[in-house]
Amino acid sequence: MNQVQIVKVLGYYIDAGFIERIIAGFRKLLIDVDAICGRRINEEGLYELYLVVRNHPNLYTAVLNLSKTPTIEKVEVLEYPNTPVQVDACESSEKAFIFCVPKPLKIRKFSWGVVHG
Amino acid sequence: MKGSKLAAEALKRAGLNVIFGIPGLSNMPLYDAFVEYVTSGDIRVILMRHEQGAAHAADGYARASGKPAVCTGTSGPGALNLVTGLATAYWDSSPVIAITGQVPRSSMGKLSFQEADIPGVVASITKFVVQVRNAEELPKWIKTATYIATTGRPGPVVIDVPRDLFNEDVDEARINWFNGFQIKGYREFQELVDPIMVKKAVELLVEAEKPLMLVGAGAMWSPAVEEIVTLSEMLRMPIVSTFLGKSAVPNDYPLYLGMMGYYGRAEANKAFMDSDVVLVVGARLSDRTIPNVRDVLDTKKKLILINIDPTDIYKHSSYLPVEAYMVTDVRKGLRMLVDAIRKVGLKKDRSQWLKRVVEYREYYAQFYYRDDGKGLKPWKVLKTIRDALPRDAIVTTGVGSHQMWTGVFWESYLPRTFISSGGMGTMGFGLPAAIGAKVAKPDKVVVDLDGDGSFIMTMNNLGTAVDENIPIIAVVFDNRTLGLVRQVQDMFFNKRIIAVDIGPATDFVKLAEGFGAIGFDAQSYEDLEVALKKAMKENVASVIRVPIARDEKALPTLPPGGSFREMIVYEPGANS
């Protein structure tokens, strides 16, 4: 099993507490977050956040709890055959803000009690 | 229109017409706007003596009525004092709405007077929190809060309002009351009832040798009394409950064995251990109900779950033998099972199983109902109170030994008549929750069954009950100690008693009288009965002190982290 998982959270931003709630979902269950990135993806205020989290026995509970948190639309656990590697793609650029996520092999989706994958 | 008036009008339109709280600098404009609404009788404002009491009172109101209630506090300490009450409501899924004042936007982040980051503080102990940024949005957030608090798994919601928004002028033409109301990123849980699962549940239930139904608070919120009893009778299936599920089924129903769990009745725990199939309805199977999962795994039982919250089912399925489940409201789920079982009929003779649970009940009775004549016994005190109160009386409790005694010995007969802090175990819950319950149900007798340690934590709110003419009765089990902690020190910490005993000086009768309530000192069961009848007749706030021996234990119990196989039913050598 990979040492980390990538969790994608889709939800509606009201204020920056939206990000706090997501982080707290992992913090409350003793799960460490190695990296986080996110952005607004439409004019309706829908955001996507990607978190690289350490594997932990509580991860499933954290994902389930997040998936029923008001303002959060969907939580996806992206699965990879090997642990994705972090690279600094902006190293030689002064302008680019690159936002890319490695293509997962499999996705498990959780949303308000509906589970896919 | 000022933001404060907009908020008051929105509360009225949302049906939130009872406000428990305390005004201060940052929510004062809101209180100012309440003046006209209070004068017209549209809103009732109740001044509590501490904000923790305000949150518990709103919680008591919600649990007694099934409708949300509002609590409020000013910025900083006022709002922070609500925190314990909000966490209590969250753990027990109670729809409380808190409106907290906040410092003006221009003052934020400067360690301003009475500034506290309430959204940051409450985010993890409430279902939802929002800090309003625009006065025009106050109606939207009040409506949103009401919807989120009352749907799905109910829970508390906080609306934090910077003071300057209350003072802001809003163009009435731009106010969008509740039209086109929608909440992005929130929805009620979908019903998920797979016919294959229903069929499997039916097969398990009709084929089981020793089936058992475990009812939780969800069955009380639903409520589903008729369905529970019908299914129990059809399948000849005994019923046990969680602590908060007690009032989901009439406690004098012959097949009801009582509350199971850490401090549960021995016969209920034994029946759970012996059962082969357990139908769990509206219970989240907390560590108080099933302290040790080995008790489920080792006995190879099969679980069938009915729960409105699918994530509970998924969580349990990851470590417990869940054979079938239905994601739906308890009443609906039970009706489906009743209809399906009616078609296939009962296939097993359950007479031996029923005989066995009746034998358990009779056997353990010898340990419960002891009386050496020395002092008042909790079980007999509760029986005396039960006999004196009408069947539909509502009781609340504090937290401690007295709470466990009520769990074991109190009989509740109707949903929403047994209100206690289960998940959070919040001492001080009983009295303010009773105030809220009485406001919600003024025609019902409301009694707070409390302990001395728990009562003293929020008893300042007795002044509210007197001033507001809210005639609740508090019965204080006075053992001059934090009994449940003392019991654990005594039994599991080698009798090293520390920091639990309370001195003799506190006089509960004088305290009651000091607040303008009636105080009684019941030295006998007869005194207690007379005091209760007088308190009900006088119909004013009353406190009845009942002396209990300091070493009176809350039994049955388990060792910390223990199994039902290690249940301690009586204290060897003790008189009771």
Side-chain angles (χ1 to χ4, degrees):
Chain A
M1 184 193 259
N2 293 334
Q3 292 175 335
V4 296
Q5 297 274 325
I6 296 182
V7 177
K8 177 184 177 184
V9 182
L10 279 163
Y12 289 93
Y13 183 99
I14 293 168
D15 56 35
F18 169 69
I19 301 165
E20 285 181 333
R21 269 193 289 278
I22 293 167
I23 299 291
F26 295 102
R27 189 262 305 153
K28 281 187 285 188
L29 288 166
L30 312 174
I31 300 166
D32 291 318
V33 178
D34 279 3
I36 177 170
C37 61
R39 62 178 175 177
R40 192 175 68 196
I41 57 172
N42 73 14
E43 292 306 312
E44 306 270 297
L46 185 65
Y47 273 62
E48 60 177 6
L49 256 73
Y50 292 86
L51 300 104
V52 180
V53 297
R54 297 278 179 91
N55 274 332
H56 193 283
N58 293 339
L59 185 61
Y60 183 58
T61 304
V63 167
L64 285 174
N65 287 345
L66 266 181
S67 76
K68 59 168 182 172
T69 300
T71 70
I72 290 175
E73 188 69 21
K74 193 189 293 177
V75 183
E76 298 179 356
V77 179
L78 313 184
E79 295 184 3
Y80 301 89
N82 300 303
T83 302
V85 180
Q86 290 185 50
V87 294
D88 188 358
C90 298
E91 201 170 345
S92 59
S93 172
E94 290 178 356
K95 293 179 181 174
F97 189 97
I98 295 174
F99 193 102
C100 59
V101 177
K103 191 178 174 187
L105 188 69
K106 193 171 140 191
I107 302 176
R108 297 178 73 202
K109 298 177 183 176
F110 303 78
S111 178
W112 293 94
V114 178
V115 179
H116 296 290
Chain B
M1 186 187 284
K2 293 272 189 207
S4 53
K5 162 93 174 163
L6 188 57
E9 180 64 25
L11 287 169
K12 181 192 150 191
R13 291 190 187 201
L16 301 168
N17 50 13
V18 180
I19 320 283
F20 301 93
I22 302 178
L25 183 62
S26 288
N27 63 352
M28 215 177 291
L30 180 62
Y31 270 87
D32 181 62
F34 284 153
V35 171
E36 283 72 30
Y37 291 88
V38 170
T39 306
S40 65
D42 287 324
I43 287 179
R44 183 175 183 186
V45 171
I46 295 171
L47 172 65
M48 302 300 289
R49 298 300 187 262
H50 187 281
E51 289 86 353
Q52 182 185 345
H56 290 330
D59 192 346
Y61 181 101
R63 296 198 210 194
S65 66
K67 294 188 287 188
V70 177
C71 58
T72 181
T74 190
S75 61
L80 290 168
N81 283 341
L82 291 170
V83 165
T84 305
L86 293 171
T88 304
Y90 189 43
W91 257 247
D92 290 347
S93 305
S94 180
V96 169
I97 292 161
I99 298 178
T100 52
Q102 183 55 273
V103 297
R105 286 170 291 180
S106 59
S107 302
M108 287 177 178
K110 298 172 183 167
L111 288 180
S112 301
F113 177 66
Q114 293 191 331
E115 180 188 2
D117 171 26
I118 292 306
V121 170
V122 303
S124 287
I125 53 144
T126 55
K127 189 173 178 187
F128 182 64
V129 54
V130 63
Q131 190 167 56
V132 184
R133 294 192 176 183
N134 182 331
E136 282 171 29
E137 292 187 338
L138 281 162
K140 175 183 116 177
W141 287 119
I142 287 168
K143 178 70 177 172
T144 300
T146 311
Y147 182 67
I148 291 178
T150 53
T151 51
R153 177 191 282 276
V157 174
V158 176
I159 308 170
D160 193 53
V161 187
R163 183 167 83 238
D164 53 314
L165 295 190
F166 284 136
N167 295 323
E168 202 170 279
D169 277 315
V170 179
D171 179 357
E172 291 191 42
R174 293 183 59 189
I175 300 169
N176 183 10
W177 288 104
F178 304 147
N179 299 332
F181 162 77
Q182 61 164 334
I183 306 164
K184 289 176 185 164
Y186 177 80
R187 66 192 74 140
E188 295 182 46
F189 295 121
Q190 274 185 28
E191 189 176 281
L192 181 60
V193 182
D194 182 344
I196 295 170
M197 284 286 185
V198 177
K199 189 166 177 267
K200 190 166 185 190
V202 169
E203 282 169 7
L204 285 166
L205 288 167
V206 297
E207 297 292 345
E209 298 285 340
K210 293 170 280 184
L212 186 73
M213 188 175 350
L214 166 59
V215 298
M220 184 274 296
W221 280 98
S222 189
V225 176
E226 192 185 323
E227 290 76 10
I228 290 168
V229 170
T230 302
L231 192 61
S232 166
E233 284 177 356
M234 282 174 76
L235 291 172
R236 293 179 199 153
M237 175 165 58
I239 302 170
V240 296
S241 75
T242 65
F243 177 64
L244 290 181
K246 263 177 77 71
S247 71
V249 56
N251 289 186
D252 56 353
Y253 174 62
L255 291 184
Y256 176 67
L257 300 175
M259 164 186 94
M260 68 170 281
Y262 202 96
Y263 289 95
R265 288 187 81 102
E267 59 268 43
N269 289 343
K270 281 289 284 180
F272 181 79
M273 289 298 281
D274 287 358
S275 63
D276 55 355
V277 173
V278 182
L279 174 63
V280 182
V281 291
R284 63 183 170 88
L285 301 179
S286 77
D287 51 343
R288 295 297 266 196
T289 303
I290 301 179
N292 192 324
V293 292
R294 299 295 336 164
D295 288 343
V296 180
L297 303 176
D298 293 349
T299 52
K300 301 193 187 315
K301 40 183 108 282
K302 294 170 179 167
L303 303 183
I304 303 163
L305 308 186
I306 302 177
N307 202 310
I308 200 166
D309 183 345
T311 64
D312 264 7
I313 291 172
Y314 300 144
K315 282 181 212 169
H316 296 321
S317 301
S318 67
Y319 67 99
L320 291 173
V322 177
E323 297 284 326
Y325 63 83
M326 300 161 78
V327 180
T328 185
D329 168 69
V330 165
R331 184 166 26 178
K332 269 176 106 171
L334 287 174
R335 276 184 186 164
M336 286 181 216
L337 289 180
V338 166
D339 290 345
I341 289 168
R342 204 163 262 151
K343 287 174 191 161
V344 296
L346 182 62
K347 295 183 178 169
K348 296 278 181 181
D349 173 17
R350 303 260 162 80
S351 55
Q352 284 303 310
W353 171 229
L354 294 184
K355 186 166 171 269
R356 186 190 292 190
V357 297
V358 168
E359 282 169 358
Y360 282 151
R361 179 154 52 197
E362 287 166 359
Y363 173 75
Y364 287 113
Q366 65 178 306
F367 301 112
Y368 300 146
Y369 306 112
R370 292 181 171 190
D371 188 357
D372 56 8
K374 294 175 187 169
L376 302 181
K377 300 296 165 198
W379 69 267
K380 210 164 177 178
V381 168
L382 288 166
K383 186 174 185 314
T384 304
I385 298 169
R386 181 68 274 182
D387 290 346
L389 298 187
R391 197 172 165 87
D392 63 355
I394 296 169
V395 300
T396 64
T397 83
V399 168
S401 297
H402 70 280
Q403 183 193 28
M404 298 304 116
W405 292 325
T406 59
V408 172
F409 299 119
W410 184 256
E411 289 204 340
S412 63
Y413 303 124
L414 296 163
R416 305 192 182 286
T417 59
F418 182 76
I419 295 169
S420 186
S421 169
M424 190 49 62
T426 306
M427 291 177 74
F429 177 80
L431 180 75
I435 289 172
K438 185 68 179 175
V439 172
K441 298 284 178 186
D443 55 331
K444 302 276 190 275
V445 174
V446 178
V447 178
D448 165 32
L449 301 173
D450 223 324
D452 52 335
S454 190
F455 178 73
I456 211 82
M457 288 194 178
T458 55
M459 61 89 63
N460 48 3
N461 294 293
L462 195 55
T464 298
V466 172
D467 286 358
E468 295 279 345
N469 191 25
I470 303 168
I472 49 100
I473 302 167
V475 178
V476 180
F477 289 66
D478 182 9
N479 57 2
R480 296 286 147 164
T481 189
L482 306 180
L484 214 52
V485 184
R486 190 182 214 280
Q487 171 173 319
V488 174
Q489 291 176 348
D490 184 23
M491 296 173 77
F492 307 114
F493 283 80
N494 296 322
K495 300 186 183 299
R496 290 160 62 85
I497 307 298
I498 182 169
V500 286
D501 291 343
I502 297 168
T506 306
D507 185 327
F508 289 102
V509 175
K510 284 184 181 169
L511 272 173
E513 290 169 352
F515 279 105
I518 303 180
F520 300 91
D521 191 9
Q523 291 292 332
S524 66
Y525 303 112
E526 292 73 25
D527 283 357
L528 175 58
E529 187 184 348
V530 169
L532 279 166
K533 285 182 175 165
K534 190 166 180 193
M536 284 189 281
K537 189 178 172 203
E538 296 287 332
N539 206 28
V540 294
S542 309
V543 176
I544 304 172
R545 181 233 173 204
V546 180
I548 300 288
R550 187 172 270 169
D551 59 356
E552 199 70 54
K553 297 278 192 298
L555 298 173
T557 188
L558 306 178
S563 146
F564 289 141
R565 284 168 282 211
E566 301 167 272
M567 198 160 48
I568 301 162
V569 181
Y570 69 100
E571 205 184 0
N575 292 324
S576 69

